[in-house]
């Protein structure tokens, strides 16, 4: 055996919407540069790994869904380890590090990761690295980035101790482990990690860009200006940058003819039962001068078997805004291709581990259908997406600013001008006009368009055959980094859908003064 073979560790991810998987893939990509090999699997693929016999360190990235539940992909795993007949030393041989993802706006923050972490500890497993809890409310990257940076030293220390263990007697092993320093680095990995010094000189595995050459005559004026989405100021504007590795492309898109029919949007829903029902009534509950506009919608469920209790949650499948889809097609130079069917395939020879056809993209549909019903074009771009957009940008100044926004040194700018400002892909393409991404890049990096959840505000006993729900129309006012105001994807669509019910004109009045709606959701 060659002495310089890479050391292996097991990398498991449990994801609901793809976030944990993307972070695991980032770890997998960086591992090679550290002389390590990540054996990556979805935690649901229990036939591909066995924690009962695992001797190498284990890294787990797990999200939280619902009201604090582990993601669907982790349900079988959690059920298995929660078996009450397992002895307390069941995982005594196991060393692991866990990164949990959550949102502190919900009561049970990171409970999916906490549940797995607590149970592994109860079964005797030991941390080789402190648990990280990343908060999507303030920005996952505030914890994720430093946690990954510290992971490599912790892994190498774990391997060193593992080698010592193999070379020593069992008594000496116990003494060695009890005396060994705990590899924690005092990261205090929680949402308070905003105090982390991101100007650290560690290069890690990310690419390092040289310091920007600045005209000394412009320094004074630059200091007097404020940073923005498109403009940076010192020290970021003059710093050498640590930027993420370029994600490998893995999708190919081929345009076909315009003949055929798109699938029904309901076919995109993979779980649960789907009903298409008419909107029977719409009422505006707030005055016209109210800060927020609240609407009540009544759906006709008489012809369905949709049974519910008051307060139950249900999901509404919604499309992206038509005008935004048209503008995106225009910017991409694909306006004439909107009605063309496209074939999406995995790129041969791609370096992306586990590359697969995205499940939310139909086998055959038009480009406009994909942008309207399949991709979350309003999603806040992740740093990996920004890194990919750098390669599609021709202007030197715009390229540098995108590099800054995805760099470790530009973390606060990313939070302020992209995350907190709810900037989406369209906003970026308006702000950086020389950026011309390919369609395959959008399919690779834009997440699935999710159905939106609402609570039932009616009783099936009191109003059989009807389902009512109330919502505020979400408003995103214009701001310097997003000059166009807009409404929420689903609430804006619903408000537009029921506008004739709210403001019926004379020519839409029925013979009895009522408006007959044909709109369905």
């Amino acid at each position: 055996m060659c002495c310089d073979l890479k050391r292996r560790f097991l990398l498991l991810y449990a994801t609901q919407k793809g976030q944990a998987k993307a972070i695991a893939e980032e770890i997998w990509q960086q591992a090679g540069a550290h002389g390590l090999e990540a054996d990556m699997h979805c935690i649901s693929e229990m036939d591909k790994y066995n924690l009962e016999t695992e001797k190498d360190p284990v890294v787990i990235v797990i999200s939280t869904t619902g009201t604090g539940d582990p993601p669907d992909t982790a349900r079988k795993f959690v059920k298995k380890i929660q078996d009450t007949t397992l002895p307390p030393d069941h995982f005594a041989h196991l060393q692991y590090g866990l990164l949990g993802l959550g949102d502190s706006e919900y009561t049970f923050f990171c409970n999916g990761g906490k549940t797995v972490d607590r149970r592994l500890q109860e079964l005797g497993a030991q941390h080789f690295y402190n648990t990280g809890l990343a908060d999507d409310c303030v920005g996952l990257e505030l914890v994720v980035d430093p946690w990954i940076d510290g992971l490599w030293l912790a892994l190498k220390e774990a391997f060193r101790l593992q080698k010592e263990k193999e070379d020593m007697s069992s008594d000496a092993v116990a003494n060695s482990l009890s005396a060994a320093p705990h590899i924690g680095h005092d990261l205090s990995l929680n949402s308070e990690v905003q105090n982390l010094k991101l100007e650290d000189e560690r290069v890690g595995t990310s690419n390092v860009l040289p310091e920007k050459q600045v005209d000394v005559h412009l320094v004074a004026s630059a200091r007097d200006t404020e940073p923005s989405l498109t403009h940076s100021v010192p020290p970021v504007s003059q710093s050498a940058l640590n930027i993420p590795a370029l994600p490998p492309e893995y999708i190919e898109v081929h345009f076909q003819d315009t003949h055929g029919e798109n699938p029904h949007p309901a076919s995109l829903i993979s779980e649960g039962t789907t009903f298409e029902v008419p909107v029977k009534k719409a009422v505006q509950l707030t005055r016209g001068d109210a800060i927020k506009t609240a609407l009540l919608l009544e759906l006709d469920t008489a012809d369905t078997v949709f049974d519910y209790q008051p307060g139950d949650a249900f999901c509404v499948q919604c499309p992206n805004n038509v005008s935004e889809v048209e503008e995106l097609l225009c910017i991409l130079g694909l306006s004439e291709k909107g009605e063309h069917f496209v074939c999406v395939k995995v790129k041969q020879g791609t370096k992306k581990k586990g590359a697969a056809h995205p499940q939310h993209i139909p086998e055959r549909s038009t480009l406009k259908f994909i942008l309207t019903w399949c991709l979350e074009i309003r999603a806040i771009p992740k740093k990996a997406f920004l890194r990919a957009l750098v390669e599609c940008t021709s202007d030197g100044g715009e390229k540098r600013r995108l590099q800054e926004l995805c760099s470790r040194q530009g973390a606060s700018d990313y939070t302020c001008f992209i995350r907190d400002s709810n900037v989406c892909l369209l906003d970026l393409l308006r702000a950086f006009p020389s950026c011309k991404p390919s369609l395959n890049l959008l399919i690779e990096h834009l997440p699935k368009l999710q159905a939106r959840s609402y609570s039932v505000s009616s009783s099936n006993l009191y109003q059989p055959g009807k389902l009512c729900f109330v919502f505020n129309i979400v408003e995103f006012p214009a701001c310097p980094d997003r000059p166009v105001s807009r409404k929420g994807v689903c609430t804006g669509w619903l408000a537009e859908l029921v506008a004739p019910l709210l403001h019926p004109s004379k020519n839409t009045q029925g013979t009895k003064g009522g408006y007959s709606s044909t709109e369905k959701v």
Side-chain angles (χ1 to χ4, degrees):
M1 295 289 288
C2 181
C3 62
D4 61 352
L5 284 178
K6 293 181 178 180
R7 297 300 303 265
R8 170 194 174 273
F9 66 95
L10 179 62
L11 175 59
L12 302 177
Y13 65 87
T15 190
Q16 187 71 21
K17 298 181 180 179
Q19 190 72 267
K21 181 180 180 182
I23 293 170
E25 289 173 343
E26 175 69 16
I27 295 173
W28 177 81
Q29 288 175 4
Q30 292 190 24
H34 289 276
L36 304 174
E37 179 184 0
D39 184 13
M40 186 175 75
H41 301 287
C42 177
I43 206 165
S44 63
E45 299 175 316
M46 298 169 68
D47 59 324
K48 297 182 179 179
Y49 67 91
N50 187 356
L51 293 188
E52 279 78 5
T53 59
E54 184 60 59
K55 296 180 179 179
D56 294 325
V58 179
V59 176
I60 302 172
V61 184
I62 178 171
S63 62
T64 298
T65 189
T67 56
D69 301 319
D72 294 340
T73 53
R75 285 182 180 177
K76 289 184 179 179
F77 175 83
V78 171
K79 183 178 180 180
K80 182 177 180 180
I81 64 174
Q82 286 182 334
D83 183 351
T84 56
T85 64
L86 296 177
D89 61 348
H90 185 71
F91 285 133
H93 61 284
L94 199 66
Q95 294 200 53
Y96 75 100
L98 185 142
L99 176 62
L101 312 181
D103 189 327
S104 60
E105 289 191 352
Y106 291 86
T107 303
F108 301 103
F109 170 63
C110 276
N111 197 55
K114 290 177 180 178
T115 298
V116 172
D117 194 21
R118 182 170 54 249
R119 185 55 179 157
L120 290 178
Q121 291 281 296
E122 291 172 352
L123 294 175
Q126 299 177 1
H127 288 127
F128 75 85
Y129 188 38
N130 279 355
T131 295
L133 300 178
D135 187 359
D136 198 33
C137 182
V138 297
L140 294 174
E141 67 279 355
L142 293 178
V143 167
V144 171
D145 289 351
W147 194 90
I148 294 177
D149 287 342
L151 173 64
W152 311 117
L153 182 60
L155 277 169
K156 290 178 180 179
E157 182 68 9
F159 284 127
R160 184 185 69 80
L161 294 176
Q162 187 182 61
K163 188 174 187 303
E164 289 182 3
K165 182 179 179 180
E166 294 170 353
D167 297 340
M168 300 166 66
S169 65
S170 58
D171 290 339
V173 170
N175 294 332
S176 173
L177 288 177
S178 62
H182 184 66
I183 307 301
H185 307 292
D186 294 324
L187 284 176
S188 298
L189 293 174
N190 52 40
S191 58
E192 296 176 1
V193 81
Q194 296 177 49
N195 295 324
L196 190 76
K197 294 182 179 179
L198 291 174
E199 66 272 19
D200 195 307
E201 292 298 325
R202 290 173 301 174
V203 171
T205 60
S206 56
N207 300 326
V208 182
L209 299 178
E211 294 183 9
K212 186 177 180 181
Q213 299 300 313
V214 181
D215 189 330
V216 293
H217 299 292
L218 298 178
V219 172
S221 61
R223 285 174 179 161
D224 295 333
T225 62
E226 293 293 328
S228 67
L229 176 64
T230 57
H231 175 72
S232 62
V233 298
V236 174
S237 62
Q238 299 176 21
S239 298
L241 301 176
N242 297 86
I243 64 173
L246 181 65
E249 294 186 1
Y250 69 98
I251 289 293
E252 285 183 344
V253 178
H254 301 284
F255 284 97
Q256 300 176 331
D257 53 35
T258 58
H259 304 296
E261 293 185 1
N262 282 308
H264 193 281
S267 66
L268 301 175
I269 304 296
S270 58
E271 297 179 358
T273 307
T274 306
F275 301 100
E276 187 173 27
V277 296
V279 180
K280 193 171 184 179
K281 182 180 178 182
V283 179
Q284 182 169 322
L285 302 180
T286 49
R287 298 191 316 181
D289 60 350
I291 296 176
K292 294 183 177 180
T293 302
L295 301 182
L296 179 147
L297 266 59
E298 180 183 298
L299 307 180
D300 183 358
T301 59
D303 294 332
T304 73
V305 290
F306 190 83
D307 192 21
Y308 66 87
Q309 299 292 327
D312 279 353
F314 67 98
C315 293
V316 174
Q317 188 184 20
C318 60
N320 286 311
N321 182 274
V322 174
S323 62
E324 292 177 16
V325 171
E326 294 291 349
E327 183 180 0
L328 186 55
L329 286 170
C330 182
I331 293 176
L332 296 175
L334 296 172
S335 295
E336 297 180 357
K337 296 283 190 179
E339 300 300 335
H340 284 249
F341 283 80
V342 294
C343 177
V344 177
K345 293 183 178 180
V346 175
K347 195 173 186 177
Q348 285 191 344
T350 179
K351 295 182 180 179
K352 181 178 175 66
K353 180 175 174 63
H357 184 284
Q359 294 183 353
H360 55 282
I361 305 296
E363 291 292 335
R364 178 172 166 81
S365 61
T366 62
L367 172 56
K368 189 174 289 186
F369 181 89
I370 291 175
L371 294 179
T372 301
W373 290 100
C374 304
L375 299 177
E376 187 89 56
I377 64 174
R378 286 272 196 91
I380 297 174
K382 304 299 181 186
K383 288 187 176 182
F385 194 8
L386 296 182
R387 176 65 184 89
L389 292 177
V390 168
E391 305 304 311
C392 311
T393 305
S394 57
D395 180 83
E398 294 179 6
K399 183 187 289 280
R400 165 73 189 194
R401 184 52 177 156
L402 287 172
Q403 289 170 336
E404 291 169 352
L405 289 169
C406 70
S407 71
R408 184 177 295 118
Q409 290 73 15
S412 60
D413 279 7
Y414 174 86
T415 299
C416 180
F417 302 119
I418 292 185
R419 180 182 175 80
D420 291 350
S421 298
N422 281 293
V423 162
C424 66
L425 174 63
L426 260 180
D427 299 321
L428 284 179
L429 297 181
R430 293 188 192 110
F432 302 94
S434 75
C435 181
K436 303 293 181 183
S438 60
L439 179 57
N440 68 286
L441 207 64
L442 269 59
I443 294 176
E444 289 172 1
H445 288 277
L446 288 175
K448 175 184 177 181
L449 178 59
Q450 299 288 339
R452 268 51 174 180
S453 180
Y454 297 92
S455 296
V456 177
S457 60
S458 58
S459 168
N460 208 19
L461 298 176
Y462 182 69
Q463 294 177 295
K466 298 177 182 179
L467 183 150
C468 297
F469 66 106
V470 176
F471 61 91
N472 289 326
I473 300 176
V474 178
E475 303 273 358
F476 296 98
C479 65
D481 299 316
R482 194 189 60 252
V484 179
S485 64
R486 57 182 181 235
K487 294 180 171 62
V489 175
C490 192
T491 60
W493 172 67
L494 288 172
E496 185 177 337
L497 192 72
V498 302
L501 283 170
L502 296 171
H503 313 288
S505 59
K506 291 183 179 179
N507 59 356
T508 60
Q509 295 290 336
T511 56
K512 295 184 180 181
Y515 177 76
S516 177
S517 172
T518 57
E519 300 295 350
K520 293 184 176 183
V521 295

